[in-house]
Amino acid sequence: MERAENLTELLAAQNHVRNQMLNFRKSASLKCAIELGIPEAINQHGKPITLSELVSALPDNPSKASHIYRLMRFLSKAGFFVLQDQGYALTAAGRLLLKDDPFNLRALIFFMSDPVLLKPWNSLTEWFRNDDPAPFDTAHGKNFWAYAAEEPNFANRFNEAMANDSTFIVQVMMTRCKFVFDGLTSLVDVGGGTGTIARAIAQNFPNLECVVCDLPHVIAGQEGTENVDFVAGDMLEKVPTADAILLKGILHDWSDEDCVKILKNCKEAIPGRNKGGRVIIIDMILESQIKDDESVETQVGMDMLMLMCHAAKERTEKEWAKLFRDAGFSDYKILPMFGVRCLIEVYH
Ligand SMILES: C[S@@+](CC[C@H](N)C(=O)[O-])C[C@H]1O[C@@H](n2cnc3c(N)ncnc32)[C@H](O)[C@@H]1O
């Protein structure tokens, strides 16, 4: 064997490929564990649950009971469960699988393995060779937003996943950087979905008038409150006027050209910095001070998701700065508040 001298290296390389090529196992097993009710069963038990107690708490086919151990072993290795005193307990990540945990990520987990979202991953190669705008278009014949507008069930699953993420972010925001909203009298959450963030900000700031501006099918049926209003709009055309504009998870959905268009519309909608005007962006900054492997993997993985859905991207600080300059803004400030994401205030 020619490569015999490198056999150890070759075995390690084989192992790496075999591990990576089956990466989807984690998301599929995670979704399955939630559907089987495993996190709930562990939690309701009140103390670490043995395998046989777990199996008898689940309503599954008894002939499959012996395989639950394998699912538990795999997801323990993946960091969701931990063995304590011969029983399984939930880790901090495992608690985020619980229906009643206020910060659970179940809708997001389900959405990421939604068949509609999985299909375009199989169209990546074709997309690299054709003229379609994004792999999503190659898989479904239309863009993500048009698909969501025409498929209410998919749109609901998407909106729930976004609200799922926003519930957590707004909590962090109110804990770590509530001051960002001090002194504002009006705020427009552009692409604010079903209003999770706007409602929470409005509750914390009763004198702040909040408007959620999103596509007509997203805001249809949403009820406003004393200081939250919903308006239909297209951010590529116009943004309603306010002291501040919030863009959470928006600009990573768009090309540089569209981002400049959106940011220019935001600039038109707000007063200058001396009058308190600002755009508040919540998104990722690639290649920042965040260096740990897991966070960097989350960031570049998210970038691939944006490529797949919209042929859009996550950005480095340099790329963000260029967008701001091109849209006519003069300054920005980064608040690294949300782990892999941060808050960027932009002024003119
Ligand atoms: C990734 S989601 C973010 C939702 C919300 N900001 C959040 O983080 O929970 C993007 C949002 O932009 C909205 N959107 C897409 N195109 C839009 C447009 N042209 N004008 C206004 N909103 C749009 C979508 O309907 C969706 O609610």
Side-chain angles (χ1 to χ4, degrees), residues 120-130 135 138:
W121 289 113
N122 282 313
S123 307
L124 261 182
T125 315
E126 191 184 344
W127 171 77
F128 269 109
R129 292 175 179 160
N130 70 22
T138 300

Side-chain angles (χ1 to χ4, degrees), residues 114-124 135-136 138-141 308:
D114 194 296
V116 176
L117 212 61
L118 289 183
K119 195 173 173 207
W121 289 113
N122 282 313
S123 307
L124 261 182
F136 190 95
T138 300
H140 296 293
M308 188 278 280

Side-chain angles (χ1 to χ4, degrees), residues 41-54:
I42 297 176
N43 195 44
Q44 278 156 18
H45 196 67
K47 57 180 197 255
I49 190 167
T50 64
L51 191 64
S52 59
E53 287 167 337
L54 177 62

Side-chain angles (χ1 to χ4, degrees), residues 278-296:
R278 73 203 78 156
V279 178
I280 302 164
I281 295 170
I282 297 173
D283 251 324
M284 289 179 178
I285 300 187
L286 296 183
E287 297 166 27
S288 63
Q289 77 284 3
I290 295 168
K291 301 279 182 238
D292 69 284
D293 280 351
E294 182 155 41
S295 300
V296 171

